[in-house]
Amino acid sequence: MFILLLGAPGAGKGTQGSLLADRLGVPKIATGDILRAAVKAVTPLGREAKKFMDAGKLVPDSVIMGLIKDELAKPAAANGAVFDGFPRNAAQAELVDRTLAERGQRLSHVLLLDVPEDELVRRLLNRARLEGRSDDTPETIRTRLQVYQRDTAPLVAHYAGRGNLHRVPATGTIEQIVIEIKRIVGR
Ligand code: ADP
């Protein structure tokens, strides 16, 4: 099973993605986590990505496409994975679709975690206080939400057209959202 979690920053993709991946026994692949690890380790990838992440912008596809290909090629992801934080634009979606299709696979479910914008901002500002993520400042949050609307939200129509998009109202408790996702995915 390959499951894509779509949703704005702060929608809870990371939390639900980890729980879902554990239930399914597949890896969760989160490009944001991989990039943050690269920034911390001061690798060339991390050094390049940091400028964009701190500004709340997407890391350019020239940097991200190789990373996505490498992750999909890992043996652990041969038969399933939960994708968190990618694809984030049309070109990345095309790469994911094509890579899976070449293997005779496809996304089994696309889950759109749906949270109103004022709640997203509240959550991200709260996370800033708790975790101190360098891109959780009011200005960067505004940019990230704009980038989501411009580049990532159009993927909702892309997947809705194929009929495997499921909208998950994601303002309830973590447990309520788990129940809803279990209902959709069947596990
Ligand atoms: P959030 O969705 O809460 O903003 P992420 O951890 O998914 O958090 O992403 C943090 C930052 O990492 C993004 O603002 C962006 O700069 C970068 N990033 C993560 N994934 C991608 C991707 N697939 N393509 C481009 N940039 C990405």
Side-chain angles (χ1 to χ4, degrees), residues 134-153:
S134 62
D135 60 349
D136 278 344
T137 66
E139 200 190 312
T140 312
I141 287 170
R142 210 171 316 121
T143 306
R144 283 157 61 208
L145 291 172
Q146 283 166 358
V147 168
Y148 174 78
Q149 286 305 335
R150 191 190 62 204
D151 294 337
T152 311

Side-chain angles (χ1 to χ4, degrees), residues 7-10 13 30-33 35-36 49 52-54 56-61 64 68 84-89 92 124 127 133 135-136 144:
K13 302 184 297 292
T31 43
D33 291 348
L35 292 170
R36 272 185 294 279
F52 297 95
M53 297 172 77
D54 284 349
K57 302 198 168 143
L58 291 189
V59 174
D61 283 343
I64 217 88
I68 292 177
D84 161 13
F86 81 99
R88 235 174 168 96
N89 60 26
Q92 293 180 19
L124 291 168
R127 186 170 74 186
R133 236 175 76 169
D135 60 349
D136 278 344
R144 283 157 61 208

